[in-house]
Amino acid sequence: MNLFKTTLFAVAISTVLAGCGSGAAIVATPIQNIDSNPLKITPLTEEQLKHWPAMDLVTDTVPGMSVDKAYSEIIKKRKGETVIVGVIDSGVDIDHEDLKNVIWTNPGEIAGNGIDDDNNGFIDDVHGWNFLGDITGENMEYVRIIRKFKPKFDGKSEASISAADRKDFAMYQKAKAEYEKELAEVTGNKSRYEQILSQLQPTHEAMAKKLGKEDYTQEDLAAIKNPSPQEQQQIAMLNQMLNFADSVPEVLEELNKGLEYFDGRLENNFNMTKDFRGVLGDDPEDITDNIYGDNNVAGPDPTRENVKHGTHVAGIIAAQRNNGIGMDGVANNVKIMAVRAVPDGDEYDKDIALAIRYAVDNGAKVLNTSFGKYYSPHADWVYDAIKYAAEKDVLIVNAAGNDGLDLDTVNIYPNDQFDNGSEMADSFLTVGALNFKYGSEMVANFSNYGKTNVDVFAPGVKIWATTPLNTYQFLQGTSMASPEVAGVAAMIRSYYPNLSAAQVKQILMDSGLSTNTQVVLGGDPSNTDSFANISKSGKMVNMYNALIMADKMANL
């Protein structure tokens, strides 16, 4: 990596930190200019990668959130209040070794008695609620739109459509075009993966037999003497594959995972005939039909791939700190409320709206929403829920999405400002993803961005966290960046409970680090802009600075 001489700006404040329940005051100065600070030019080790979001840019030269610095210099032995964080996601493995002690328990509910003890409408909702029941796979929203309007519009010309139906017809046409494009892309990718596998598998088996081992290297291949013409072809292919991974078995594993993913999309996401929703027995077009699902917040099978997502998100926020196992979440003093509403496919607007309201009504002060889609037939239901959360002083931290798009040019749901209009709530924060490579590659190549519709950036590449059945994995996405910020938000709400959700959002935006470095957007080297110009704040979240600013704001 090249050395980028840049200036990072934090809000120009210095204050005595006197947190909730604190002892002696601590003088803390925010992180500011690092003009002459050398940046890391050597690769991170695997142990460093597992911890990089907690690192400090000045000390460690990677764009982490200064979590370690905040704990060692600011929090120390200070005491905060317990904060409930609602994780609206695919489900959470609440029995995970690193999560079981930080899972929210409903104080008004008696487990297993089959009675709605707290009279909130949900029976035995001990750790949250599952609005999906046994559903795992689902359609994309555009498939549901096609299925809904096909009987009415199929074969009709635009000229034959009445003025009252024009809006629905336009949405139907757009959905059909999107479906055909995506289906062709997935089908083509599956075919390509199958073709590569059909050639690579026997080639690998032959070479492994010749060399007497599965994990041969490019050096091993180069050392083969007098290869036959067939072996020369095999070596060329295997060398190409080894450019993508450390071993050919790893490449084969990834190819097989890719095939599984494409098969899942074809079976679930694009399925025009299967009724996924019917098992719930609700009417998805009726928001008042609001009691359905069950209390199994991990879903029907905690080993499924989609449950991994919610478990990973929960671990980033609050995996038990300093217990000697696994990893440390960003926040202490947190209880995770699991609300399952995101299937393997596009979520229903109704489920999301009700999930937000459930979490708010049951005491969550921060919500994490690591999901999104580009069609939302009942967006008004979700908007009303977002406004409801704002009225109840709840902060929603939302993932920006992973398509490398400028969100100022396209709407993604959920959001709090349609077509770049005014914000519907002042307590909805959208987060883009950072890479650990500080400099021009600092923005994750998949991350959406936008001067108006993305608020901040946070670590989202190669994030190590909890996965089902007491395992841990690296995952990446704005889905991982969002809970990093939700963890910081929970810390502010824990140590400064008198600050409002709107104030916490402003602190997260104003206290971050900024740079005018030109960054690559969407993984396209021809598409660059100043980092300071690709989000509303122009900043990356920093927990150390955020707590300093929170202290100043709380003590005005």
Side-chain angles (χ1 to χ4, degrees), residues 267-407:
E267 180 183 350
N268 297 324
N269 299 166
F270 301 142
N271 194 314
M272 282 288 181
T273 60
K274 187 174 180 180
D275 177 16
F276 296 94
R277 188 76 181 190
V279 297
L280 283 182
D282 78 309
D283 179 359
E285 300 295 321
D286 181 3
I287 191 66
T288 65
D289 179 12
N290 57 10
I291 305 297
Y292 55 92
D294 58 47
N295 67 347
N296 183 7
V297 294
D301 182 1
T303 67
R304 285 184 62 89
E305 189 72 16
N306 63 322
V307 180
K308 179 191 296 183
H309 190 277
T311 304
H312 201 266
V313 165
I316 292 170
I317 297 169
Q320 188 173 352
R321 295 184 61 84
N322 304 316
N323 62 352
I325 59 173
M327 43 84 66
D328 289 340
V330 173
N332 59 15
N333 299 331
V334 165
K335 294 295 183 182
I336 294 293
M337 176 193 293
V339 189
R340 186 169 182 265
V342 183
D344 180 14
D346 277 344
E347 59 277 2
Y348 273 83
D349 296 325
K350 175 182 173 180
D351 296 341
I352 298 308
L354 294 177
I356 291 172
R357 289 176 178 271
Y358 173 89
V360 169
D361 288 342
N362 286 279
K365 299 305 291 181
V366 177
L367 305 184
N368 189 84
T369 56
S370 286
F371 51 82
K373 59 182 181 178
Y374 293 94
Y375 295 83
S376 185
H378 294 294
D380 54 320
W381 293 348
V382 182
Y383 290 143
D384 286 344
I386 290 170
K387 294 173 188 175
Y388 180 73
E391 292 167 3
K392 298 295 185 178
D393 192 36
V394 176
L395 178 71
I396 299 177
V397 184
N398 179 62
N402 302 327
D403 295 303
L405 299 175
D406 181 352
L407 293 190

Side-chain angles (χ1 to χ4, degrees), residues 387-466:
K387 294 173 188 175
Y388 180 73
E391 292 167 3
K392 298 295 185 178
D393 192 36
V394 176
L395 178 71
I396 299 177
V397 184
N398 179 62
N402 302 327
D403 295 303
L405 299 175
D406 181 352
L407 293 190
D408 295 351
T409 66
V410 62
N411 288 309
I412 187 172
Y413 304 88
N415 59 51
D416 70 336
Q417 48 189 134
F418 185 79
D419 284 343
N420 301 322
S422 59
E423 291 186 348
M424 300 170 193
D426 57 2
S427 56
F428 187 96
L429 185 79
T430 297
V431 185
L434 291 175
N435 191 4
F436 50 84
K437 296 179 179 179
Y438 185 73
S440 64
E441 299 176 80
M442 184 169 62
V443 174
N445 58 16
F446 52 77
S447 181
N448 290 345
Y449 54 94
K451 180 68 174 175
T452 299
N453 287 285
V454 174
D455 294 305
V456 292
F457 277 78
V461 172
K462 285 200 75 113
I463 306 300
W464 181 256
T466 48

Side-chain angles (χ1 to χ4, degrees), residues 42 58-59 166 189 207 213 222 310 329 360 386 436 448 461 494 501 553:
T42 55
V58 174
T59 304
R166 289 283 170 86
N189 283 335
M207 193 57 63
K213 57 181 178 180
V360 169
I386 290 170
F436 50 84
N448 290 345
V461 172
S494 172
M553 189 177 289

